[in-house]
Amino acid sequence: MDKNNERNFRRHRKSCRLHWTVCCLSLLLFSACTTDTNLPDAEQADRLPLSLQMELPKQLTVVVTRAGEGKATTGNPTRNGIEIKKVRVMQFDQTTPDDDTYNIRKTYSKETTGTTTDWFTQTDGGLITINTSTTTFWNRTSKFYIIANAKELHSTSSGDGTDISETAKEAVLPTAYFTFPESDVTGTEEPGILAYGPVAYTEKTGTGSGNAKPVAIFARLKRAYAKVTVNYTAGTGVSITALRVENIPTRIYPFPATGNSPTDAFMNVDLTVNAGQTTYSFFMPENLRGNGTSTTAKEKNQPDNGPTQSGSARNLDYCTCIVLTGTYNYYPNNTPENAANPISVEYRFYPGADMIRNYDIERGKHYTLTLDLKGANSADARVTITDGNVFTIADPDDVTHKDDIVFGE
């Protein structure tokens, strides 16, 4: 090997040794950092603080945002017409089953009168961070559930809801409910009962000198109820005198089981009909009844075409129904003898994802039912004439439903 090649070989070998030394030192430093970072110490290994951020649902009806509804500076956080007054977080330990169910391990609950803002912070975009203070949860494999604005949790003996106590089991949640009074149906403000979960958490293991990292939950809250709007056009000679909604569930289930809704506790609500008003809206709990067998809108009102419920024969027993009653004058512009004696008529409509087969009212959706009341056709099952004459509505009638909630994690 000549002298030039020998010098180059020595320089290359020296450079390789230097790079190897730097790599080893870097690896040792990196290992030291990762050993002491993101791991709770021995005293805090069992406890975890909670970092909770909440996003309120979008509006069910697109309107201009009201003034002062951005970042809350006084009172409670408000966004899209929903005010957050109460928040509850429940942690169910998944590591210690008891009779195939899991016990509640820890809860956080905050209820405010609206006179202070020290329990939350809110960004201009509406994202709400809950100040859970010193409340800590357990570092156990578990599931978290969040409920906002749920009415006071009553014992079952009071008949107002399910008691989700400090000793409750996770298995109670699919059937846990809150009473939904008629005042919430006909109220102008949203009920605001929101829910999110379950959120799965996996236990973290290891010890170190750092603080316990909080369990962070970003809860995209979802409505536990639906909104229905009825628009109608009364043709010549038609007068609507009453509007009733039948088969509204009286219970809200924040975390329902899959499948059809229960078949208990329903109510009928009369809406106030005002002169000149042709649009009416109301809120109601979810009512999942399924699909029927009709092939036209006129057949949807026939019980034999209704959904099969709880294994029984097809019927319309628990399906939500919009009922309009009024009169029709055959001779509104003339003066025959019977012009002063209009016939009485009742129209019945079963809203759903469509106006032919589906009878579901799903949570978080806004259903808009548009009706054109005119014509004469005695073959329409949606119309009942109470004094022997004939009356019908014009086709088509239409229903739309809109889901304005952001789903997903």
Side-chain angles (χ1 to χ4, degrees):
M1 179 182 297
D2 58 32
K3 292 182 178 180
N4 289 332
N5 289 336
E6 185 177 356
R7 281 195 299 270
N8 290 335
F9 176 76
R10 288 175 180 174
R11 282 196 299 268
H12 179 72
R13 185 170 60 182
K14 184 177 180 179
S15 176
C16 288
R17 284 200 299 267
L18 179 61
H19 283 92
W20 174 254
T21 302
V22 172
C23 289
C24 290
L25 289 174
S26 299
L27 182 61
L28 289 173
L29 289 172
F30 179 76
S31 300
C33 291
T34 54
T35 299
D36 293 334
T37 304
N38 298 333
L39 292 175
D41 60 27
E43 290 77 21
Q44 295 183 343
D46 282 343
R47 298 298 181 99
L48 294 171
L50 173 68
S51 173
L52 175 61
Q53 288 187 313
M54 302 191 308
E55 181 181 67
L56 272 65
K58 294 182 180 180
Q59 291 185 195
L60 283 172
T61 304
V62 179
V63 297
V64 178
T65 303
R66 292 182 294 183
E69 206 182 59
K71 182 177 179 180
T73 56
T74 60
N76 296 318
T78 301
R79 191 70 177 174
N80 298 333
I82 302 175
E83 179 183 4
I84 298 297
K85 301 177 182 179
K86 183 175 182 179
V87 176
R88 189 176 190 191
V89 182
M90 298 173 289
Q91 181 187 28
F92 289 88
D93 191 341
Q94 304 293 297
T95 63
T96 54
D98 178 13
D99 296 331
D100 296 325
T101 63
Y102 295 95
N103 292 319
I104 198 169
R105 190 63 184 260
K106 182 68 177 179
T107 64
Y108 163 80
S109 185
K110 177 66 178 180
E111 185 170 11
T112 177
T113 59
T115 59
T116 177
T117 60
D118 60 355
W119 68 286
F120 75 94
T121 57
Q122 185 178 10
T123 66
D124 289 327
L127 188 66
I128 300 167
T129 300
I130 302 300
N131 177 20
T132 57
S133 186
T134 58
T135 302
T136 57
F137 289 80
W138 288 89
N139 182 21
R140 298 286 189 272
T141 296
S142 54
K143 291 181 181 178
F144 287 86
Y145 295 82
I146 297 97
I147 304 177
N149 290 341
K151 295 176 175 59
E152 193 65 36
L153 301 178
H154 300 282
S155 65
T156 53
S157 60
S158 69
D160 293 324
T162 303
D163 179 21
I164 307 178
S165 66
E166 295 291 335
T167 60
K169 299 180 185 296
E170 186 184 11
V172 76
L173 289 187
T175 56
Y177 68 89
F178 308 105
T179 298
F180 194 77
E182 182 174 333
S183 59
D184 280 357
V185 176
T186 58
T188 57
E189 297 294 331
E190 286 198 44
I193 301 176
L194 312 174
Y196 185 76
V199 178
Y201 173 78
T202 303
E203 179 178 348
K204 301 296 187 294
T205 60
T207 58
S209 59
N211 294 325
K213 300 289 287 184
V215 52
I217 299 178
F218 177 53
R220 287 190 171 99
L221 297 173
K222 301 169 185 175
R223 292 174 176 85
Y225 53 91
K227 182 179 182 179
V228 180
T229 295
V230 180
N231 299 311
Y232 71 86
T233 300
T236 303
V238 178
S239 176
I240 300 300
T241 58
L243 197 159
R244 184 174 70 256
V245 187
E246 296 181 349
N247 293 330
I248 295 180
T250 62
R251 297 175 178 178
I252 275 191
Y253 294 83
F255 305 102
T258 58
N260 286 353
S261 301
T263 56
D264 54 2
F266 285 83
M267 61 180 166
N268 300 331
V269 175
D270 293 313
L271 304 182
T272 301
V273 175
N274 300 311
Q277 183 178 354
T278 58
T279 297
Y280 297 86
S281 295
F282 59 92
F283 299 98
M284 62 173 287
E286 183 173 62
N287 190 17
L288 303 179
R289 304 266 61 101
N291 290 320
T293 60
S294 61
T295 58
T296 68
K298 295 180 180 180
E299 298 173 349
K300 192 177 183 182
N301 281 42
Q302 296 173 343
D304 291 345
N305 292 331
T308 301
Q309 306 182 72
S310 301
S312 61
R314 294 189 178 277
N315 60 77
L316 301 173
D317 291 351
Y318 309 108
C319 301
T320 299
C321 185
I322 311 297
V323 183
L324 299 92
T325 58
T327 60
Y328 173 66
N329 191 334
Y330 276 103
Y331 303 96
N333 300 319
N334 300 307
T335 57
E337 181 180 351
N338 60 349
N341 299 297
I343 61 173
S344 298
V345 63
E346 178 182 274
Y347 323 88
R348 302 178 64 87
F349 300 92
Y350 292 87
D354 58 59
M355 286 302 293
I356 297 177
R357 297 185 60 193
N358 185 264
Y359 297 85
D360 288 338
I361 305 295
E362 299 182 47
R363 64 182 57 212
K365 292 188 177 181
H366 183 187
Y367 294 81
T368 301
L369 182 66
T370 301
L371 307 173
D372 189 16
L373 308 176
K374 60 184 179 182
N377 184 346
S378 59
D380 197 326
R382 295 167 294 181
V383 181
T384 300
I385 306 304
T386 59
D387 43 13
N389 291 299
V390 294
F391 190 82
T392 189
I393 62 172
D395 284 322
D397 51 87
D398 182 41
V399 64
T400 61
H401 61 280
K402 185 175 183 180
D403 184 355
D404 277 333
I405 296 180
V406 178
F407 288 93
E409 296 298 326

